Amino acid sequence: MSTQFTVPTREQQSENNLPTYDAILNGLGFVPNLFATLGLSDNGLQRYISFQNDKSSLSNKEKEVVNLVVSEVNNCKYCKAAHTAIGKMNGFTDEQALELRSGKATFSEKYDALVKLAKNITETRGHIDQTQLENFISAGYNQGNLVDVILQIGEKIITNYLHSITLIPIDFPEVPTL
């Protein structure tokens, strides 16, 4: 037996999730399938978006560096597609997004240190190579930034796992496999 998941409609969202669902719909013009799927939980969509939108010392562009490499490490096709599109909205080219997914950034020393640390944290589940941390600090980041990187990785793992388990349709342009 195989459990099939369908993307819940607005009518299937709980009262707790509806304000968040409607805000996403009004802001983007559509609700991405993965966000709607978070609404399978009575509090899931509201809870995740609240976490995602909380303040961080990382810029939106730095968050996308983390999102792209974590999604690649976890092989989340949905998140790789979504964050390539969002990365482009934040100023990355297709080539830079591919490079970030591969775990390097030859176009920026600071992003290179960030992407390598985020990749190492994700691959080792936190048992990092200390050299990656030293390079991160040397690139101008601090211990507070490290905490925010870890929070960003955790946030992205949530959606990576959700898609890997539900396999709901991808509603962003597909991206090449590395």
Side-chain angles (χ1 to χ4, degrees):
M1 184 176 124
S2 173
T3 301
Q4 297 293 316
F5 290 86
T6 56
V7 178
T9 64
R10 183 186 186 283
E11 292 71 32
Q12 293 170 309
Q13 300 290 320
S14 71
E15 288 297 318
N16 290 334
N17 286 328
L18 274 178
T20 304
Y21 187 96
D22 289 341
I24 294 167
L25 181 61
N26 292 333
L28 296 178
F30 77 110
V31 176
N33 286 342
L34 200 59
F35 284 171
T37 303
L38 286 159
L40 290 170
S41 162
D42 287 345
N43 298 296
L45 178 62
Q46 181 277 327
R47 184 175 175 194
Y48 177 80
I49 295 299
S50 176
F51 181 35
Q52 182 186 54
N53 290 340
D54 276 348
K55 293 180 183 177
S56 173
S57 64
L58 301 177
S59 69
N60 287 339
K61 205 165 184 177
E62 288 167 322
K63 288 179 185 179
E64 291 312 312
V65 169
V66 174
N67 292 339
L68 284 163
V69 74
V70 171
S71 297
E72 184 64 40
V73 169
N74 290 322
N75 194 27
C76 179
K77 292 178 182 175
Y78 188 102
C79 295
K80 289 188 284 187
H83 290 289
T84 295
I86 297 166
K88 286 167 66 172
M89 290 190 292
N90 280 284
F92 289 123
T93 65
D94 284 327
E95 295 75 23
Q96 289 171 331
L98 279 169
E99 190 174 5
L100 290 166
R101 284 175 46 206
S102 77
K104 63 183 184 231
T106 59
F107 57 92
S108 166
E109 185 178 323
K110 194 166 185 179
Y111 292 158
D112 193 57
L114 173 59
V115 76
K116 286 178 177 169
L117 178 68
K119 181 179 182 184
N120 189 244
I121 291 169
T122 307
E123 288 176 337
T124 66
R125 295 186 308 268
H127 302 278
I128 64 168
D129 173 351
Q130 287 297 312
T131 305
Q132 299 299 336
L133 180 57
E134 291 166 15
N135 292 341
F136 177 77
I137 299 297
S138 294
Y141 291 103
N142 61 41
Q143 293 176 358
N145 299 134
L146 171 65
V147 172
D148 284 335
V149 168
I150 295 166
L151 287 167
Q152 190 65 35
I153 290 168
E155 184 241 294
K156 194 44 42 207
I157 287 172
I158 292 166
T159 53
N160 289 172
Y161 288 8
L162 182 64
H163 184 261
S164 293
I165 293 167
T166 64
L167 297 174
I168 50 100
I170 299 169
D171 50 356
F172 288 89
E174 287 192 44
V175 294
T177 302
L178 291 184

